[in-house]
Amino acid sequence: MTISLPAPVDLTPEDLPRIRDLLETVWFSVVPGKTLQHLDEEIDLRHARGIPRPDGPLPGEPAAAAPLLGLYSAFDLGLSVPAAGGGLIRVPMDGLTMVSVHPDARRKGVLRRMMTDHLHRVHERGEAALAGLHASEPAIYGRFGYGHASAEAKLTIGRGTTLAAPEALTARADEIRTHVTDLDTEAALAAVHRTHLACADVTLGTVTRPGSTEQSWFAFRDHPKARAGKEPNRVMFARRGEELTGYAVFRRESRWDDGQPAGEVSVAELAAADHASLLALARRLVDMDLTGRTVFWSRPTDDPLAWWAGGPRPAGMRVFDALWLRLVDVPRALSERGYAAGAPLDLVVQVEDEVCPWNAGRWRLQVDGDGSAQAGPTDTEPDLVTPVAALGAAYLGGRTLLAQVPTLGVQERTPGAVAALSRAMRADREPVPAIGF
C-alpha cells in the first residue's frame, strides 16, 4: 500500500550515522573495523538521497534523529559499448547503488519513490543517457525499465589444470611477465586504475571506475578484522616489456584436508588487454602453491578461459545476471552507440516508458552504412513497439532484441523490422560482466 511519503532529500556528512544504521539494518551485514570515515569515502554524497521518517522516536528508540525510510546513491561511471565502424566507445553511465528500504517501510511505495526520483534527477542533470545497476533480487528492477544486459560466469578450476590454448597464443603468453604485489598501496592502486581503463578500451561491456575513486574504491578496501584468516588483497600484473597489459585482484584462503594443502584462490577482478595476457595471468592463478582450486568471479559467458580449461563442465561454470541497463534518454542513448556496418537502417521505434515519460513516443532511428546513427522524434507510424527495458537488455549487443519478443513483449508492426534492428545491435562477443558497484 502506498502512503504519503516525504520527498527525498540530499544526504550530507551529518547523515552518515543514519546511513550506516539503515545499511546495517537492511543488509544485516556488519564489517568489523569499518568506520564512518570509511563510509564517507565509499559513498558519493553528491548523489546520495534519502527519505526521512516524518515522525519522532517510537517506543524503544533513542531520542535522536528518526531513522531513514530509504536511501540510494550513485557513481559517475563509464561503459564500453559498440562503436560505429567497429571497435568500442566509452559512454557515461550513472551507476545506482546502495538502494535500501527500511524493513518497517516495505510495500509502502518507498522504492518506487526513490527510483523515480533517481531517474528524473539523472535526466535533469543530463550527464548520462544510461543508468545501470546490479540487482540484489532480479525480479525487482524490470518494472522500473531496467533490462538485463550482461551475464556473469563463475568458474572453478582445480589447481594444476592445463590450460590448452592454440600453440601460437601459448607462445605469445610465454613472452608476458607477471608479478604479484600488495593491492593496498598508492602505487598499486594507481597502476590498477591505469590498466583498468586501458583494458576497457578493448573489452565490450566494461564498467569503468571514476578517477576520483582510484585510491578509495570500496571493493578494494581491506578491513583486517573482517578477513577472518584470509590474506590481504593482492594484485598480479601482466606486462609486455614495461607496458602493463592486464591485472588480477585476488586473495587466498589457507585450507588443509587430511594434511594436504587445499587452499582457495578467489579472483575478484581480472582484466586483460589481449588473450596472451589473459592466458599468462590465468596459468599462474591456477597453479599457486598450497592451493587446491581457483575461483574466477565475474567472467563473460564466452570466456576463453573456460574453454582453455576444457569447457563449461570442467570449469564448473555457473551463470548469474550481471549488469542491468536503463535508457534514461532514448534518442541520445541510441545515437551514442554504433551498429553493424554495411546494413543501413531507417525505422521508427515506439517506446513504452511509464517511469520516464519523456522517453515514451516514436523515435526515428537512422543508421548509416558505417554503423553511425542518429535518432529523433517523429509522428510516422512505428515499425516496432518496445518497452524501454528491451532496449536496455539489447544495448550491449549480448542479448538480441529478437529474443525480447517473447520475454519483454517487443511487437513488430513492419515485417522484418525487429530482426533488422536486432542484427544491427548484436555484438561479435558477449559483453564482460560489470565490476561491482
Side-chain angles (χ1 to χ4, degrees), residues 20 23-25 27-34 226:
R20 179 183 62 186
L23 293 175
E24 292 182 351
T25 299
W27 302 99
F28 44 92
S29 177
V30 179
V31 179
K34 184 173 180 178

Side-chain angles (χ1 to χ4, degrees), residues 66-146:
L68 296 169
L69 295 179
L71 71 84
Y72 72 83
S73 188
F75 293 111
D76 298 322
L77 305 173
L79 180 66
S80 297
V81 305
L88 302 175
I89 186 173
R90 190 179 308 155
V91 300
M93 185 188 80
D94 186 280
L96 183 64
T97 188
M98 292 187 181
V99 180
S100 304
V101 177
H102 195 285
D104 292 341
R106 294 177 68 246
R107 306 290 190 267
K108 296 181 180 178
V110 173
L111 179 61
R112 179 164 290 276
R113 184 66 175 271
M114 293 195 302
M115 295 299 296
T116 302
D117 180 74
H118 170 250
L119 292 170
H120 283 234
R121 285 170 60 83
V122 173
H123 181 250
E124 290 166 4
R125 289 199 309 271
E127 297 169 359
L130 297 171
L133 58 79
H134 288 282
S136 56
E137 297 181 82
I140 293 176
Y141 292 100
R143 64 179 185 263
F144 301 113
Y146 285 83

Side-chain angles (χ1 to χ4, degrees), residues 31 34 120 142 200 212 237 254 262 307 327 334 358 366:
V31 179
K34 184 173 180 178
H120 283 234
S212 60
F237 287 108
S254 178
W307 294 100
L327 276 62
L334 292 178
W358 56 85
Q366 296 173 288

Side-chain angles (χ1 to χ4, degrees), residues 199-354:
C199 293
D201 288 341
V202 294
T203 309
L204 174 66
T206 302
V207 170
T208 52
R209 293 177 280 269
S212 60
T213 66
E214 176 183 297
Q215 295 293 321
S216 61
W217 187 245
F218 71 94
F220 293 161
R221 186 178 296 281
D222 200 16
H223 298 282
K225 293 182 180 179
R227 291 204 299 262
K230 299 178 183 178
E231 71 172 335
N233 280 326
R234 303 195 190 280
V235 58
M236 180 185 296
F237 287 108
R239 66 187 190 279
R240 182 181 289 106
E242 297 301 316
E243 178 189 7
L244 292 177
T245 57
Y247 67 93
V249 175
F250 72 97
R251 75 162 88 227
R252 293 164 294 182
E253 182 177 9
S254 178
R255 296 177 186 170
W256 293 81
D257 184 6
D258 293 332
Q260 298 297 315
E264 179 176 294
V265 184
S266 181
V267 184
E269 188 170 314
L270 173 60
D274 52 60
H275 290 144
S277 299
L278 176 63
L279 180 58
L281 288 167
R283 288 193 302 191
R284 279 206 64 189
L285 290 164
V286 301
D287 196 26
M288 305 195 86
D289 291 341
L290 305 181
T291 65
R293 65 179 187 175
T294 302
V295 179
F296 295 89
W297 296 91
S298 297
R299 302 305 302 157
T301 54
D302 63 350
D303 193 0
L305 175 53
W307 294 100
W308 293 334
R313 279 189 292 170
M317 180 183 285
R318 296 190 62 190
V319 179
F320 312 90
D321 58 296
L323 183 66
W324 291 69
L325 271 183
R326 214 269 187 215
L327 276 62
V328 181
D329 183 332
V330 165
R332 175 181 165 187
L334 292 178
S335 301
E336 282 185 338
R337 62 154 288 169
Y339 299 79
L345 281 178
D346 189 346
L347 48 78
V348 175
V349 181
Q350 180 170 315
V351 176
E352 298 172 338
D353 193 340
E354 295 181 357

